[in-house]
Structures are given as structure tokens and as C-alpha cells.
Amino acid sequence: MDEPKITPELIAAHGMKPDEYQRLLAIIGRVPTFTELGIFSAMWNEHCSYKSSKKWLRTLPTTGPQVICGPGENAGVVDIGDGQAVVFKMESHNHPSYIEPHQGAATGVGGILRDVFTMGARPIAAMNALSFGEPSHPKTAHLVKGVVEGVGSYGNAFGVPTVGGEVRFHRSYNGNCLVNAFAAGLADADKIFYSAASGVGMPVVYLGAKTGRDGVGGATMASAEFDDTIEEKRPTVQVGDPFTEKRLLEACLELMASGAVISIQDMGAAGLTCSAVEMGDKGDLGIRLDLDRVPCRETGMTAYEMMLSESQERMLMVLKPEKEAEAKAIFDKWDLDFAIVGETIPEDRFLVLQGNTVMADLPLKALAGNAPEYDRPWIETPAAAPMEPVPHIDPVDALKALIGSPNYASKAWVWQQYDSQVMADTVRAPGLGAGVVRVHGTPKALAFTSDVTPRYVKANPFEGGKQAVAEAWRNLVACGATPLAATDNLNFGNPEKPEIMGQMVGAIKGIGAACIALELPIVSGNVSLYNETDGTGILPTPTIGAVGLLHSLDDLIAGAPKAGEIALVIGETVGHLGQSALLAEVFHREDGDAPHVDLAAEKRNGDFLLAQRHLFTAATDLSDGGLALAAFEMAEGAGIGLTLDSADTGFLFGEDQARYLVSCSFDQAEALIAAAGHAGVPAHAVGRFGGHAVRFGGSEAALAELSALYHSAFERAVG
């Protein structure tokens, strides 16, 4: 087949800058074939090479006594005791989900599940963090419906509970929604599988579903801005099949137990190319592939299409040759393709053959390790201007504005479409803070949360980055879990703009500072850049997914406040309203600075809460919407009213950090305040639970009226 001529236009269409193409020529010493250009483009795009972020990602803390495997593999691995490990990661599927919401979101879930079971872990929990444009935007309702259906249909059919996440709306996402998918699994700590190939002449095996033309060039598309050609990008979105993936999971785990696997890698971004190159690179080996042996579901596929297809539910593995028959029998039993498509070779080559023609012959190490790495110029985000005064507002009216907006209304419409109870180990479903899943057959449980406040990050990337980690940490602590480790999903605009690069640098510095102070290492993650449409970027959205451990379910804090109990705030309230939910939802303003995060206070107050968990019934952290929103949600969940003693706007709606709200009896409150005094932790009674109304100072509304608003607003906004 005649391959296209390599022209400057073709190079640009592959997302490659002229200087990057010159670098390619210097490496191979000749003009590349069309297939080779595609391979380089896939390995060197932002999605696969992290060329704009690598310098800064290296500054993050990634180790700790609990860390078995940090960043660089398919997922992070953390020790949870008793010879067990939790394996987890978060990853974006933003561009595909905007183009084709259902399939984009579904294959995002499928991809992250494969990252987990590739390591030898059985998935036990999923989460997703979703960011959409304004509810009034003509595309938003369509995107919300498609994405939520896609997430639900894949996770539900595969059989993994969706236990948490977040949903937000902001005009900056009008042309570029964010779909960040998280998955966690359990494995034996001494039976983790890695992707480094080893041994010369070992068979390279293709496993799973057949290769089609879906997703060709998907990783390159995910590393570019959107413009008015967006509809033409639809063929770059993959199509998922959760039932095939479920069979692939069972076949892979059975194969791993047989001792046949030397190394294994899922085919995600850039498909066969990325998986083969990464395996060879990590094992210091070359790889030879024979494309005539690749199972295809379409006829006449070119080498270029086969190497760059992102068809789903596929794995690549290096196998012990003597176990070939046993391995094939397992995959035949599960009705999945099993094909030896190549072998490891001693030379530093990536050789791709089709027919008797060499379609690609490249130095593998240079392809993997010589991707451009940029120290992009960046400008520090200027300090926020002082905030304009906040006009007086009736506090109950302010609460109504918050709970009547889709950002702070109940998200039950979303998570009721997800099966949170499959596997029968979910202890705490979505909608109540961190999700909690029992570690089957043990007294232990794991807690999961994902957090970021993009408004904060835009105003002050350093404090916003710190806050995302601190809030995730607090969410775990508030359910009684000891925080273990985190994964990050860094969503930003175009890094070639110094102000956007400055947002990313500031946020990573903040994340790093918080992770060190809170002993919460980053063990995996993903960077998603070029989230822009027609030159306008999203709010910087560095999502933090975090995992905590409950040594026993007896440690779980999941009670509801009882009538007559005291509402008590742990931590200091100053009344910070800059960049608050109140400003955004009530006054349509985004001004002032992000709240300052005192990391020493976060650690001290959180440790105090865990130590005193026997002295209260229920707990939640205070974040968006401050005390008023948290207290309402706690009371509403228990079906009882609430009285807060003050009507002061800053006291009720301020978003000071390092704070928790707890519910306790009068005697417990006395004991808790005394213990807090000894520990140097601020603790103050602020009101009480009970009755049938919500009262803030002298202002009140019936709980039933507020509850009806809270439960109907989301569906009304996007229905």
C-alpha cells in the first residue's frame, strides 16, 4: 500500500512542532515512514510523554513506608497490612467525553479499571469527578446525560461499585467538559504484576478483544485544543464493551495465578505502540511485532491504523514460552483472542513488520526516553485584588441559593444511576462524604474521596493546590479513616501560555507541600493539558483522589445527628469569604483570595478528631458553603431540623480551612471541649440539632421546604 508523503502539513497534523520533527530526524537519520511518524507522534504527545509537566511532577513526594509502587507503572500500590495492598489511579477522558459523551465516559471507566487489574488487583471501587459548563448552555444537559449514562452503564455491567466523586458546573467548561475516572483494587502485596519485559526471545502476546479503527489518533487528539473542527474528531473516540472487559479481568487474573506472566501492560492511549514500547523500555529490550498476527475486526487495516488504534479491552503480555498452551486454553475458555504477535529481542529496536515489509524500524530507547522535555516559561499568578464588601443577605435566603444551585444541590440523580452496592461490600454509598468499602473477609475497610475547588486554584494556584489535598485528607479523616496515599489528575489549559503554565507550577508546588505535611504521597496520576476551546481555557482543575484505611469497621464515623445533640465546630473560624460558594452562587462574583491553608493546623485538628472519635455521633469536614451548608446537609440527611446561634454571614458561609463539624451529646461536648483545650485545638459549640425547621439566628425556614428544594434542583437544572 502506498504510504502518504511526509509533508510539513502532515507533520503538523500529527501534533508535532518543526523542531520536534528535526529531533526525530536526528534520532533515526532519515525521513520516517508514515507509520513511524504516527508512532513518534503517539509517544511524544503530551498525553503519553508528559513533556510539559515532567520537570514539575518530579518534585512531588512519591515515597513512604506504606508505598510499594509509586508513579511510573499502570497504577500505584500501597500496603494495607496483612499481606494485602490497594492498587489505584485516576485518569482523564476529557476530550473523548466532550465529542461522544456516552462512549467517551464509558471507555474512561474501562481504561482505568484495566490499569488496576493489569497490576494483578481485583477492582473493588470506582469514582468519577465530572466538570460541566453552565446548566443553561445548549450542550450541557446532553453532556451530563451522556457522561452519567456512560459511567453508569460501564461500571454497572462490569460489576464494580461506584462509591464517590463530584459534579460541578462552571462556564469555563462550556466547550471542554472534564471526566476524571478513578479505580481501586485489592491484591496480595507479594503478587503485584509489572510492565517491564525480561528475557530475550520471549513471546509477546496480544490478549482480549480484536483491533478496529476506533480511537486511531486518540492520544494525539487529547493533546490538542478544540476548535470548530471538533465534529471531525468523532472517529478518534473508542467504543467500549464492559462484558468483554469483565471476561478479560477474569482471564488475566486466572493467567496471573498460573505463573505464566513475565510482564503485562494494558493497551490504553496509543494502543499497541505505547504498550509495546513501554514494556521494552522498562526491560532494556527490543521488541519485534508481526502485524499479520494481530486479531482485527476490520479488513484491510494499515500498519498505521493497527499501531495507533485505541480499541478497548486489549492487553499486551510477555509470556513464559513453556506456559503458552496453558495460557491459550485460559483465554479460549473466556472466549477472548490470544495471539503471539512478536518477541523480545536483544537489540535496541522497535521493529514492526506487515507482510514481508518493514513498516517501522526505530531505536526503542530513544523513542521511549528521548521525547522532548520542556521547561516551559511560566508566570506566577498575580495576587488577588482585595475583595469588595459582601452585601447583607438573609442567611436562610443565602442557603436556599446554594442548595437550589446544581453545584450544591443533592446529586442523587447522578449517583442513583450508578450501582454502588454490587459486590455487597459497600459500607457507605455516594452522597455522604468519602465512600467506604469493606475489605472482603477482613475487619478492615478502605475509604475513597476526590476533591478540588477550581475557583481557589485560579485565584491562588499554590493555596488551591494545598487545599485540594487538605480537603481530600479531611474527607478521609471525617469518616474515621487514616489517610494512606493519593493520586492526582491535573487538568489545565494550554501549557504553551506562560500564565497557564504558571497555574500548573503553582498548583503542583501546593500539592507537594500539602502531601509532605500530611504524609500523603502521590503514587499515581495523569496530566490532561490543552483543555481549551477557541483559545479559552478551563478553570485549573487539579483533582486529588485519596485513599484511607480503617483497621476495623468499628472505627467508622458514619452516624447521623440526633435531636437534642450539640453542633460543635473543631478548628478556627475567621469568616473567609474570598472565592466562596456564597459569592459565586448568590452574588455571581469570583473575587478575593483563596482561603489560606495552615497545614500544621490541618494535621493537628485531623489527628485530634481521629483520637476523639468516641466523643461524637457524626462528623463532616467544612469546605464549600462553610458551616451553613455542612450543617444543613448533616441535619437533612438525618431528617431533623437545626439551629445555629449566629446569623453572621462570615461565620455561617466563610470557608476557613482545617475545620470539622461534629454532633454530640451535652456531656460529650463538655468532654470534647476540655480535650481540645489540652491539645491546643479550637472547639466551639455553635448550635444544636432537632425540630422541624432550619434556624440561623432569627431567620428560619421549614426543613421540609428546604429539603424539597435540595432534592429537586439538580434534575431541574439539567433535566
Side-chain angles (χ1 to χ4, degrees):
M1 183 182 232
D2 290 337
E3 291 211 325
K5 187 171 184 291
I6 307 298
T7 62
E9 293 75 22
L10 192 63
I11 294 161
H14 280 75
M16 201 174 272
K17 305 268 192 304
D19 59 321
E20 293 175 342
Y21 182 67
Q22 291 306 313
R23 185 187 190 114
L24 182 164
L25 293 178
I27 287 171
I28 67 173
R30 58 178 170 76
V31 172
T33 65
F34 179 54
T35 302
E36 288 173 336
L37 177 67
I39 288 170
F40 265 102
S41 153
M43 291 304 298
W44 283 11
N45 67 52
E46 197 71 57
H47 195 78
C48 295
S49 74
Y50 298 97
K51 60 190 175 188
S52 299
S53 55
K54 205 179 275 182
K55 171 188 163 128
W56 298 102
L57 294 175
R58 288 193 190 102
T59 66
L60 291 170
T62 58
T63 57
Q66 72 277 42
V67 178
I68 294 171
C69 174
E73 276 292 337
N74 287 293
V77 185
V78 176
D79 196 333
I80 60 167
D82 309 310
Q84 290 180 300
V86 60
V87 178
F88 65 94
K89 186 182 182 185
M90 193 167 212
E91 193 167 85
S92 59
H93 228 229
N94 303 336
H95 285 49
S97 299
Y98 186 76
I99 297 166
E100 179 53 76
H102 186 108
Q103 289 299 346
T107 52
V109 174
I112 201 70
L113 289 168
R114 278 197 306 286
D115 280 335
V116 165
F117 71 75
T118 299
M119 304 287 292
R122 180 176 288 280
I124 60 159
M127 293 191 295
N128 50 84
L130 312 176
S131 303
F132 298 105
E134 293 167 299
S136 59
H137 188 271
K139 278 204 80 157
T140 298
H142 162 73
L143 290 170
V144 172
K145 189 167 181 291
V147 165
V148 170
E149 277 180 359
V151 167
S153 68
Y154 204 101
N156 297 355
F158 178 84
V160 66
T162 299
V163 298
E166 47 189 345
V167 184
R168 73 176 57 82
F169 297 87
H170 188 276
R171 63 183 176 281
S172 74
Y173 306 107
N174 280 349
N176 208 124
C177 64
L178 302 183
V179 174
N180 293 178
F182 169 100
L186 281 175
D188 291 339
D190 60 351
K191 294 192 178 73
I192 305 295
F193 286 81
Y194 297 100
S195 57
S198 66
V200 172
M202 296 294 158
V204 174
V205 186
Y206 172 113
L207 307 168
K210 289 178 164 51
T211 294
R213 290 186 172 93
D214 49 328
V216 172
T220 303
M221 176 270 291
S223 305
E225 290 182 36
F226 282 154
D227 53 29
D228 54 14
T229 64
I230 184 167
E231 284 303 316
E232 297 164 21
K233 296 184 167 75
R234 196 172 296 273
T236 60
V237 179
Q238 316 88 333
V239 178
D241 177 358
F243 300 105
T244 299
E245 179 125 339
K246 176 68 173 165
R247 300 201 315 273
L248 184 62
L249 161 74
E250 300 300 346
C252 284
L253 293 181
E254 191 175 332
L255 188 63
M256 289 163 170
S258 77
V261 178
I262 295 174
S263 72
I264 187 162
Q265 175 84 20
D266 90 293
M267 287 195 226
L272 197 49
T273 290
C274 205
S275 51
V277 170
E278 283 185 10
M279 276 177 144
D281 178 47
K282 287 176 184 166
D284 288 323
L285 290 164
I287 301 273
R288 182 183 63 76
L289 293 179
D290 181 354
L291 297 186
D292 292 347
R293 298 180 182 179
V294 171
C296 291
R297 65 166 186 262
E298 299 183 45
T299 54
M301 286 188 71
T302 64
Y304 179 95
E305 289 170 332
M306 288 160 81
M307 293 307 295
L308 298 188
S309 165
E310 291 182 11
S311 293
Q312 296 293 290
E313 293 87 41
R314 301 181 302 158
M315 296 275 195
L316 201 63
M317 181 180 73
V318 178
L319 182 73
K320 291 177 183 169
E322 67 276 14
K323 296 270 193 178
E324 183 190 321
E326 187 181 347
K328 186 174 187 316
I330 290 170
F331 273 74
D332 286 348
K333 179 181 88 177
W334 288 101
D335 193 23
L336 291 163
D337 277 293
F338 176 100
I340 293 173
V341 294
E343 65 174 349
T344 57
I345 56 176
E347 303 83 15
D348 174 26
R349 310 300 303 163
F350 186 42
L351 264 174
V352 180
L353 300 141
Q354 189 176 31
N356 294 319
T357 309
V358 175
M359 305 307 289
D361 182 359
L362 300 168
L364 189 141
K365 273 279 179 219
L367 181 59
N370 278 27
E373 190 174 318
Y374 295 120
D375 184 0
R376 295 203 185 274
W378 58 280
I379 298 169
E380 196 162 329
T381 302
M387 196 178 85
E388 295 292 317
V390 178
H392 173 73
I393 182 168
D394 178 280
V396 170
D397 287 345
L399 177 69
K400 286 178 181 175
L402 287 183
I403 63 175
S405 81
N407 276 314
Y408 302 108
S410 165
K411 305 296 189 299
W413 180 88
V414 175
W415 48 259
Q416 282 169 358
Q417 297 184 54
Y418 306 150
D419 189 339
S420 61
Q421 298 302 323
V422 63
M423 300 176 87
D425 281 318
T426 303
V427 180
R428 197 178 185 201
L432 299 164
V436 179
V437 173
R438 190 183 295 106
V439 178
H440 199 78
T442 78
K444 296 182 298 200
L446 289 163
F448 305 99
T449 185
S450 84
D451 297 282
V452 64
T453 307
R455 287 190 313 277
Y456 294 173
V457 187
K458 181 153 197 243
N460 187 329
F462 181 70
E463 291 298 332
K466 278 163 59 179
Q467 194 276 338
V469 175
E471 189 179 336
W473 194 83
R474 282 200 302 272
N475 270 328
L476 297 175
V477 166
C479 74
T482 302
L484 284 180
T487 179
D488 58 354
N489 201 154
L490 307 177
N491 307 273
F492 291 90
N494 182 345
E496 295 166 49
K497 296 177 178 174
E499 63 277 13
I500 302 287
M501 194 65 208
Q503 291 175 348
M504 182 159 74
V505 171
I508 290 174
K509 286 180 174 180
I511 289 166
C515 286
I516 290 167
L518 300 174
E519 298 165 14
L520 194 73
I522 298 280
V523 296
S524 59
N526 169 242
V527 174
S528 172
L529 305 179
Y530 298 96
N531 289 292
E532 300 210 355
T533 299
D534 296 328
T536 304
I538 58 161
L539 282 180
T541 311
T543 309
I544 300 295
V547 178
L549 176 66
L550 291 140
H551 292 283
S552 162
L553 271 175
D554 296 341
D555 295 336
L556 179 67
I557 304 167
K562 299 184 183 76
E565 287 192 329
I566 305 291
L568 192 137
V569 169
I570 293 168
E572 188 182 6
T573 300
V574 177
H576 181 94
L577 289 169
Q579 298 299 330
S580 63
L582 178 85
L583 276 193
E585 298 295 344
V586 179
F587 299 107
H588 309 295
R589 285 168 46 186
E590 290 176 18
D591 58 329
D593 198 3
H596 173 71
V597 181
D598 179 339
L599 293 168
E602 289 284 3
K603 186 86 172 73
R604 182 192 66 218
N605 297 358
D607 288 348
F608 173 79
L609 189 88
L610 287 176
Q612 305 297 333
R613 71 179 92 201
H614 57 289
L615 286 177
F616 50 85
T617 312
T620 183
D621 86 303
L622 301 191
S623 54
D624 264 22
L627 171 62
L629 184 61
F632 167 76
E633 287 177 343
M634 202 186 241
E636 201 278 334
I640 57 175
L642 155 79
T643 299
L644 295 178
D645 300 328
S646 172
D648 178 74
T649 303
F651 178 80
L652 289 171
F653 296 97
E655 295 180 6
D656 308 293
Q657 301 295 297
R659 295 188 303 156
Y660 301 85
L661 172 66
V662 301
S663 167
C664 48
S665 70
F666 184 82
D667 292 346
Q668 287 174 321
E670 281 195 324
L672 201 54
I673 289 169
H678 290 305
V681 171
H684 306 283
V686 294
R688 64 213 141 278
F689 293 95
H692 302 289
V694 171
R695 295 186 184 87
F696 296 159
S699 175
E700 70 172 86
L703 176 67
E705 176 200 345
L706 295 175
S707 195
L709 174 63
Y710 179 63
H711 285 285
S712 62
F714 187 91
E715 193 169 354
R716 200 169 57 245
V718 298

